[in-house]
Amino acid sequence: MFRWLWNALFGNKETIERPSPKIRIRPEQVKIENGTLTVTGLVDCFIAAIAPSNSMESLIDDGMFVLLDRSVPASEIIAGDILWFKSPTFEAIHRVIEIGADEQGWWAKSKGDNNAYADPGVIRKSDVQGVWRATLN
C-alpha cells in the first residue's frame, strides 16, 4: 500500500547479493596493543588512498585507505575479490565478477558495486596492482 511512497522517497533500490571477497586476514593475525594495530603475516602489502568516486561506496569511499596485497597469484583470485588494476584503457578498484582464461592466459572482468555496467575489456594479471585485504577509515 505504501510501496509508492517508499519508492518516491528512497528509490526502488533492491538489495543485490554480491560475491564476497576471499578472506585473506584471519582474526589471529590482528592485534591491538597500546593503540597500535598490528597485522602479522603480510608479505607484500601496501596502503593506498581512495580518490573521489561512488563506484564502491559504502565498502570503499572517498578519503578511506585500503590495504592491498601484491603477492596474490592469479590462481587464488576469485569472483568477489576486489582488485586495484591499471589496464591500457581503465584504472579502478572494483569487484571481480567473472574469471576466465584464453590464449593470452588468465583474465578477469570487473564492475564497481554501484555501477550499472561492467568495466570495459578484461583485466590481465599484469594489470593487477593489488588485491584488497581491508578498508581503513
Side-chain angles (χ1 to χ4, degrees), residues 29-40 136:
Q29 290 178 260
V30 180
K31 297 193 179 3
I32 300 174
E33 294 178 4
N34 301 321
T36 300
L37 173 70
T38 304
V39 182
T40 61
L136 312 168

Side-chain angles (χ1 to χ4, degrees), residues 46-50 59-68 93 132 134-137:
F46 63 102
I47 293 175
I50 299 301
L59 176 66
I60 304 169
D61 202 5
D62 179 28
M64 293 180 175
F65 296 92
V66 291
L67 179 64
L68 298 163
I93 181 165
W132 175 89
T135 300
L136 312 168
N137 62 1

Side-chain angles (χ1 to χ4, degrees), residues 66-129:
V66 291
L67 179 64
L68 298 163
D69 188 343
R70 287 186 190 100
S71 69
V72 178
S75 62
E76 290 185 17
I77 296 173
I78 63 171
D81 276 342
I82 298 166
L83 307 177
W84 173 34
F85 60 92
K86 291 181 180 182
S87 72
T89 59
F90 197 67
E91 177 180 355
I93 181 165
H94 283 167
R95 189 179 304 272
V96 173
I97 58 170
E98 186 179 347
I99 293 175
D102 59 18
E103 62 281 347
Q104 297 176 44
W106 180 93
W107 59 260
K109 290 188 177 189
S110 62
K111 178 182 170 296
D113 287 354
N114 294 319
N115 294 352
Y117 303 102
D119 299 331
V122 295
I123 304 164
R124 299 290 175 180
K125 179 56 178 160
S126 60
D127 300 330
V128 176
Q129 306 300 303

Side-chain angles (χ1 to χ4, degrees), residues 2-68:
F2 293 103
R3 176 58 77 192
W4 66 269
L5 178 59
W6 179 268
N7 289 342
L9 293 173
F10 303 108
N12 191 13
K13 291 187 176 182
E14 296 180 26
T15 301
I16 299 170
E17 183 70 26
R18 294 177 180 89
S20 298
K22 184 174 183 179
I23 296 172
R24 298 184 193 280
I25 297 178
R26 303 274 178 218
E28 59 271 13
Q29 290 178 260
V30 180
K31 297 193 179 3
I32 300 174
E33 294 178 4
N34 301 321
T36 300
L37 173 70
T38 304
V39 182
T40 61
L42 303 179
V43 178
D44 191 10
C45 291
F46 63 102
I47 293 175
I50 299 301
S53 168
N54 292 327
S55 67
M56 291 299 290
E57 191 178 282
S58 65
L59 176 66
I60 304 169
D61 202 5
D62 179 28
M64 293 180 175
F65 296 92
V66 291
L67 179 64
L68 298 163

